[in-house]
Each structure stands twice: as structure tokens, then as C-alpha cells.
Amino acid sequence: MKRFHVHIAVNNIQESVDFYSKLFGQPPSKQQSDYAKWMLEDPKVNFAISARGHALGLNHLGFQVETSDELAELKQHAQSASAGNLLDEGETACCYANSEKHWTIDPQGLAWEHFLTLSDALTFGEDNIPVPDTNTACCVPVHIPITSIGKSQSACCVPNPEASDPDACCN
């Protein structure tokens, strides 16, 4: 069974944890100093927040799956929807979890993540894509075609509107 995933970048993690814990009627299922996640059952949602220097607000959407077959099916859908414009990260560490995942971007530039969680991780993780002069923080590049991004090429993450350069990356 698939679980809808929403990830929001926040300014103050504790203030947001307090708000969402009250809103959802339960504490996070996972919490770190810069990250929290609620695994809601009704509706079935993986709702995550992080304070890692991204533009505030919606970071990305996605689907978490329970099996490799479900992930393969979503990968086919993503390839079809984006004419093959897909970033396949394979196994990676992100958001305090070891996962297998891939990304695509919708026509408006919104990142969509499909992933299968394999186990917990002790660290937030880093992108497989090097981002020059930034602290990488597992996110997918936006506003450029994914097919132009190789794991050895530089790429930008969700833009940071606070940066002096409007095209600046995450941090």
C-alpha cells in the first residue's frame, strides 16, 4: 500500500513540531534537531518537516511504498509522465532513512519523490549530486531538466529566496 508523502521546510523546528503535534493529535514518530516526521494512518500520510536552509514552505511531494514492485510501478508512471525525465538515485541516505528512490519534476517545477524505506539512518544524509559551495541536504534539483543532471555534475536544489543570487541553491 502506498503512503502519500509531504515534506515542508520550516523556520523553527520546535515551534513547528509543537504545532503539527497538536494539529495531528500525536507526537512525531521520528524527531531530530532539524527534522520531524509523522506517520499518519488516517489519512495514510508520511508528513515531514525540516529546518535545513531550504526555501520555507512546500519542499516536495511523493509516495512512500512498501515493496520493490510498487516502487518499480511508480517509476514506470513517473517515466511516462515526464517523458523519461527522471533522476534515479537508487539506494541512498536521506531524512534519517536509508531508501531506494527516484525523482521527477512536474511541469511547474515541483519535485516528486517515490521511495521505499529500507532502514533508519543516523544522519540526515547528503545528496548523491554535488552542490558546490553548499551544505547538501538530500533534495532534488528543480528548474532544470533531470536528464541533464548526472551524479557527477553540479546541480541546484530547491532555490533559496533569501540568498543574494536568486538562482542560489539550498543553503
Side-chain angles (χ1 to χ4, degrees):
M1 177 175 289
K2 297 170 190 75
R3 182 182 295 267
F4 191 68
H5 172 61
V6 178
H7 189 122
I8 296 177
V10 300
N11 188 33
N12 181 307
I13 197 76
Q14 193 54 55
E15 180 179 68
S16 294
V17 165
D18 291 344
F19 174 84
Y20 286 113
S21 293
K22 291 173 185 169
L23 183 69
F24 300 146
Q26 66 187 57
S29 55
K30 181 184 280 190
Q31 185 173 356
Q32 300 291 337
S33 62
D34 58 351
Y35 176 82
K37 174 177 70 177
W38 290 259
M39 296 294 279
L40 304 175
E41 292 302 321
D42 186 17
K44 203 161 181 73
V45 175
N46 170 337
F47 183 88
I49 61 175
S50 62
R52 301 199 45 93
H54 290 265
L56 299 180
L58 181 63
N59 183 276
H60 65 271
L61 298 169
F63 288 106
Q64 180 179 13
V65 299
E66 294 179 358
T67 69
S68 296
D69 289 342
E70 288 177 322
L71 188 61
E73 178 184 355
L74 288 180
K75 186 174 184 179
Q76 288 177 338
H77 292 308
Q79 287 174 320
S80 175
S82 65
N85 199 15
L86 185 102
L87 174 63
D88 188 351
E89 285 192 279
E91 290 188 18
T92 187
C94 182
C95 298
Y96 298 98
N98 296 307
S99 303
E100 183 176 347
K101 67 174 66 186
H102 59 266
W103 299 84
T104 195
I105 299 174
D106 79 0
Q108 289 69 236
L110 182 59
W112 278 84
E113 172 189 32
H114 296 153
F115 62 101
L116 171 63
T117 301
L118 305 171
S119 64
D120 283 340
L122 297 176
T123 62
F124 189 86
E126 293 186 272
D127 287 333
N128 288 332
I129 303 166
V131 181
D133 304 320
T134 67
N135 295 321
T136 57
C138 53
C139 57
V140 70
V142 296
H143 304 298
I144 55 177
I146 291 178
T147 52
S148 69
I149 302 162
K151 289 190 177 184
S152 63
Q153 293 176 294
S154 297
C156 241
C157 299
V158 176
N160 180 353
E162 311 259 330
S164 58
D165 176 1
D167 294 323
C169 293
C170 301
N171 298 331

